Amino acid sequence: MSSINALILEDDPNNMEILVRLLKSINVGSVGVNDPSQIDGALQQVSAFDLVFLDLEMPTMDGYEMLGALRARLGAGVPIIACTVHLNEINNARSRGFSSFIGKPLKQARFPDQVRRILAGEPVWEAK
């Protein structure tokens, strides 16, 4: 994978670091945002994002509210992945319009395949 960019919306610094590191290991660039109010600056840093990892529990705006704002700005073609410890939210995330769902903690061995599948247009719904 090359020239692929991900937007990460994650308020926990440790989870952000893990996700950045996992993406870097598969040659995916990333821009991280830890507060939804900073989204404008992040969207200006990269001309286009190929996928978005969105934590459901964020300060000032939850992931479901942020999903609508991101869809309006990025369009329907960019996969937005719910990335959360709230594994019981998988069905709600699907019905509310997320492209995929990856439960935390992320699995280093499975992550490259999950990203490859998402970028190929295959929805990934994995809570374990």
Side-chain angles (χ1 to χ4, degrees):
M1 295 180 206
S2 61
S3 300
I4 298 170
N5 292 298
L7 175 62
I8 305 168
L9 288 104
E10 169 65 63
D11 64 326
D12 182 281
N14 293 323
N15 289 335
M16 176 76 78
E17 181 181 335
I18 290 167
L19 194 45
V20 167
R21 193 172 337 120
L22 286 171
L23 288 166
K24 186 175 182 180
S25 75
I26 56 173
N27 298 317
V28 174
S30 62
V31 173
V33 175
N34 61 12
D35 185 324
S37 67
Q38 301 170 351
I39 193 68
D40 290 332
L43 293 175
Q44 293 174 5
Q45 289 183 37
V46 176
S47 61
F49 287 100
D50 301 288
L51 65 164
V52 176
F53 291 90
L54 177 54
D55 187 14
L56 294 182
E57 193 174 342
M58 297 283 293
T60 69
M61 181 182 286
D62 71 27
Y64 296 110
E65 293 170 302
M66 194 71 226
L67 175 65
L70 288 169
R71 284 277 181 241
R73 295 180 128 160
L74 300 175
V78 177
I80 300 178
I81 302 102
C83 190
T84 183
V85 298
H86 301 289
L87 305 182
N88 61 334
E89 285 291 314
I90 191 167
N91 291 329
N92 195 25
R94 186 188 311 256
S95 69
R96 303 268 301 261
F98 276 90
S99 307
S100 292
F101 185 103
I102 299 176
K104 295 176 190 171
L106 300 173
K107 311 293 187 282
Q108 184 175 357
R110 290 178 27 202
F111 188 75
D113 183 60
Q114 291 169 323
V115 172
R116 180 195 58 75
R117 289 166 39 212
I118 291 167
L119 289 170
E122 179 185 336
V124 171
W125 296 92
E126 298 181 10
K128 295 180 182 182

